[in-house]
Amino acid sequence: MAPTDETGQPAQHPGTPPPAGPPATPGNGPNARMPRWLPRAMVLALALIAVFQLGSWAFHELTGLLINILIAFFLALAVEPAVSWMAGRGVRRGLGTFLVFLGVLIVGAGFVTLLGSMLAEQIIKIVEDFPDYLDSVINWVNTHFHTELRRVDIQEGLLRSDWLRTYVQNSATGVLGVSAQVLGGLFQLLTIGLFSFYFAADGPRLRRTVCSLLPPARQAEVLRAWEIAVNKTGGYIYSRGLMALVSGLAHYVLLEILEVPYAPVLAVWVGLVSQFIPTIGTYLAGALPMLIAFTVDPWYALWVLVFVVVYQQFENYVLQPKLTSKTVDIHPAVAFGSVVAGTALLGAVGALIAIPAVATLQAFLGAYVKRYAVTDDPRVHGHRGSGEGRGPGGRTRRPWARRPGAARTRDGDTGTS
């Protein structure tokens, strides 16, 4: 056995060289070099992070423009059937698109003008009659609570109050903000109008551009999806417009019978708001005519409320299924869920375009998803059967059921046939 030292290692004899250590590997020494791929990987990672940050910032800044383009695209899809109909009869697409948008603009401007004049007259009437209303309230308070209030004292107290002074100052400073919002809204409408005009007028060119980037097999699918989107969106707008017309006529007849002022304008308001504002449009539409009817007679407001509720049921269960069965035939629960999801994603814009978007998606999936015949089973229709159990293999018998061929038993003895 070789001699060892105190540490247990083999003892070295004088004059023998020390044992060689482990072989040197690249990167272990003080003069090791950095791998060539590491700087490139670091630069690539920093570049990707910078591009991601720049893209996030650009998307955040351009969100408003992208939403306007989305609205313009759906508006172009809505007017596409009318523009194509005019183009098929020899009218240039640009001129046909201009005529369609001009008609929409005239109708919208006329409605806003009539509604604004009605509201202005009502506000002026309320301001003129405010002293009489205030006197009647003061007399009622003095009669029931034995007070001695006077209208002059109340007016002087309001004019000298700090609340009124603060309100006037805040209103004066907020005029610039309101003006900026109005200008921003007008610019947004102009942007949507221009993009929708270009999308509708250059629809064929836009489709050719998109199809030129895809192989022939994909081009047919894109054109089919485009046609479905046009049919569903246009059908949604036109069916809603027809229901708005019917609703407006029905409410106009009621308001004329009750002799409520501004019946035509209120009827148009009810028809448009109840149909084109999802979920809460009916309640917003009925609030204004109820308020105007209340100024005539409080009982008239109750009659308007009853009529709005009854007509809403008639529209939901009779009119709407007949008009939308071939355009946007989607389940009410799906429509409500799509409106909620669209509102959560894009606000009011999402609520407006949610239903035609979901109808387009449903129709597109229905064209490509394979369906099978449903088995003739009572459970499909919600029936639980006649009380007999059913197993995986089919029908099972009750344990006490009598078998065919078994003889009757008496006193526990089984007979044979």
Side-chain angles (χ1 to χ4, degrees):
M1 177 180 294
T4 57
D5 56 7
E6 296 178 355
T7 60
Q9 300 294 332
Q12 296 182 1
H13 298 282
T16 59
T25 57
N28 292 337
N31 298 326
R33 299 178 60 183
M34 182 183 298
R36 294 180 179 180
W37 58 267
L38 185 57
R40 297 179 182 178
M42 295 176 62
V43 172
L44 180 61
L46 293 176
L48 291 177
I49 293 174
V51 170
F52 177 77
Q53 294 292 337
L54 181 61
S56 300
W57 171 80
F59 180 79
H60 178 72
E61 294 295 329
L62 297 177
T63 300
L65 178 61
L66 296 177
I67 292 177
N68 292 337
I69 293 176
L70 182 63
I71 299 174
F73 180 72
F74 272 92
L75 184 59
L77 293 179
V79 302
E80 177 72 18
V83 175
S84 299
W85 180 82
M86 298 178 68
R89 283 156 179 77
V91 182
R92 296 176 55 185
R93 289 190 64 90
L95 179 59
T97 306
F98 174 76
L99 293 177
V100 172
F101 275 85
L102 181 62
V104 173
L105 181 62
I106 292 175
V107 173
F111 171 69
V112 172
T113 302
L114 292 176
L115 184 63
S117 63
M118 180 198 69
L119 292 178
E121 292 183 5
Q122 288 297 319
I123 291 174
I124 293 174
K125 182 179 179 181
I126 291 175
V127 172
E128 290 178 351
D129 297 341
F130 181 75
D132 296 334
Y133 294 150
L134 185 60
D135 288 338
S136 62
V137 171
I138 291 175
N139 292 332
W140 184 85
V141 172
N142 291 335
T143 303
H144 289 78
F145 296 96
H146 305 287
T147 58
E148 296 180 357
L149 297 177
R150 294 186 304 172
R151 177 159 57 90
V152 178
D153 298 336
I154 296 177
Q155 291 177 351
E156 290 181 355
L158 289 176
L159 293 176
R160 295 177 181 177
S161 63
D162 296 335
W163 172 82
L164 183 61
R165 188 181 302 107
T166 304
Y167 177 77
V168 172
Q169 292 176 356
N170 294 334
S171 301
T173 55
V175 170
L176 294 178
V178 173
S179 302
Q181 292 180 359
V182 171
L183 293 178
L186 293 177
F187 180 77
Q188 185 177 5
L189 291 177
L190 180 62
T191 303
I192 295 174
L194 288 177
F195 275 106
S196 59
F197 178 83
Y198 291 139
F199 286 153
D202 293 339
R205 184 185 303 177
L206 180 60
R207 285 191 287 269
R208 288 195 299 269
T209 302
V210 173
C211 290
S212 64
L213 303 176
L214 301 172
R218 296 293 183 183
Q219 292 179 12
E221 296 180 2
V222 170
L223 292 177
R224 180 179 179 83
W226 198 297
E227 182 181 2
I228 291 174
V230 170
N231 293 334
K232 292 301 178 180
T233 306
Y236 172 75
I237 296 297
Y238 297 144
S239 61
R240 288 291 173 177
L242 185 57
M243 287 192 294
L245 178 62
V246 176
S247 176
L249 290 176
H251 288 83
Y252 171 74
V253 172
L254 173 69
L255 296 176
E256 281 291 337
I257 293 176
L258 298 179
E259 297 182 354
V260 177
Y262 310 103
V265 182
L266 292 175
V268 174
W269 164 267
V270 172
L272 293 179
V273 174
S274 62
Q275 301 303 323
F276 290 99
I277 296 182
T279 308
I280 61 173
T282 303
Y283 309 103
L284 294 178
L288 184 60
M290 286 177 56
L291 180 62
I292 302 300
F294 185 83
T295 60
V296 179
D297 191 338
W299 288 103
Y300 288 176
L302 180 61
W303 281 111
V304 171
L305 175 61
V306 172
F307 183 82
V308 168
V309 173
V310 172
Y311 180 82
Q312 184 65 27
Q313 304 306 315
F314 165 76
E315 181 182 279
N316 291 338
Y317 294 101
V318 178
L319 185 62
Q320 184 173 351
K322 293 183 178 297
L323 294 179
T324 62
S325 60
K326 297 182 180 180
T327 55
V328 285
D329 188 15
I330 59 178
H331 195 274
V334 177
F336 179 75
S338 63
V339 170
V340 173
T343 305
L345 293 175
L346 299 176
V349 176
L352 291 175
I353 67 177
I355 295 179
V358 171
T360 301
L361 180 61
Q362 177 179 330
F364 186 73
L365 293 177
Y368 289 96
V369 176
K370 186 177 181 180
R371 296 180 181 272
Y372 300 92
V374 181
T375 180
D376 189 11
D377 194 315
R379 290 173 294 180
V380 175
H381 306 286
H383 303 299
R384 297 179 59 87
S386 59
E388 295 183 353
R390 293 181 181 270
R395 187 174 176 180
T396 59
R397 299 181 181 276
R398 295 178 183 176
W400 57 84
R402 195 166 50 243
R403 296 180 181 179
R408 297 181 179 179
T409 61
R410 176 178 297 179
D411 298 333
D413 297 329
T414 304
T416 58
S417 57

